């Protein structure tokens, strides 16, 4: 008659564990991988748009397309009545000042 304290009994305790408990982490990882793959393949975020307007008491900021092509950032200082036009330079990866004009000159 074997006793539970026997060395053979202690070593076999992990072998009695159900196979489903051992495979559960692998199953969870596979399901999460499939979910992430589906999200990458079928989810299309909205493209960036260049028609945003932001304003407060002192400044108006508008993004828009330029006649020569590309995107421009128009910043208007309401107090001084001047407008600065910035263009994104992809070579330098920064905004470059293109022109500063008076808003009253635009309506002449």
């Amino acid at each position: 008659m074997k006793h539970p304290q026997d060395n053979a009994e202690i070593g076999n305790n992990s072998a009695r564990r159900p196979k489903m408990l051992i495979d559960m982490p692998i199953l969870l990882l596979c399901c999460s991988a499939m979910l992430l793959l589906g999200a990458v393949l079928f989810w299309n975020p909205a493209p960036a748009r260049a028609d945003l307007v932001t304003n407060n008491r002192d400044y108006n900021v508008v993004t828009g397309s330029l006649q020569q092509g590309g995107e421009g950032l128009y910043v208007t200082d309401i107090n001084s009545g001047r407008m600065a036009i910035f263009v994104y330079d992809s070579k330098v990866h920064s905004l470059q000042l293109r022109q500063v004009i008076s808003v009253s000159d635009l309506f002449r």
Side-chain angles (χ1 to χ4, degrees):
M1 179 174 192
K2 290 186 178 178
H3 295 315
Q5 290 90 11
D6 205 7
N7 288 338
E9 286 291 319
I10 294 172
N12 287 337
N13 201 11
S14 64
R16 292 182 185 177
R17 200 180 261 184
K19 185 155 177 72
M20 187 173 178
L21 287 177
I22 295 171
D23 292 339
M24 187 63 72
I26 295 171
L27 180 66
L28 275 169
L29 287 173
C30 288
C31 288
S32 62
M34 293 302 290
L35 182 69
L36 289 173
L37 179 66
V40 167
L41 292 178
F42 299 114
W43 181 63
N44 293 327
R49 295 176 47 188
D51 59 354
L52 177 71
V53 177
T54 304
N55 61 356
N56 64 13
R57 291 185 327 176
D58 299 325
Y59 295 100
N60 286 339
V61 179
V62 180
T63 59
S65 299
L66 299 173
Q67 289 178 349
Q68 296 86 5
E71 301 295 326
L73 177 69
Y74 300 90
V75 180
T76 306
D77 184 1
I78 296 172
N79 294 330
S80 69
R82 298 179 62 93
M83 178 187 288
I85 303 169
F86 294 92
V87 178
Y88 180 74
D89 188 0
S90 59
K91 296 175 186 171
V92 184
H93 299 289
S94 67
L95 286 174
Q96 302 294 321
L97 179 64
R98 176 171 280 186
Q99 188 176 10
V100 177
I101 55 175
S102 176
V103 175
S104 61
D105 291 343
L106 294 173
F107 296 104
R108 289 187 186 174

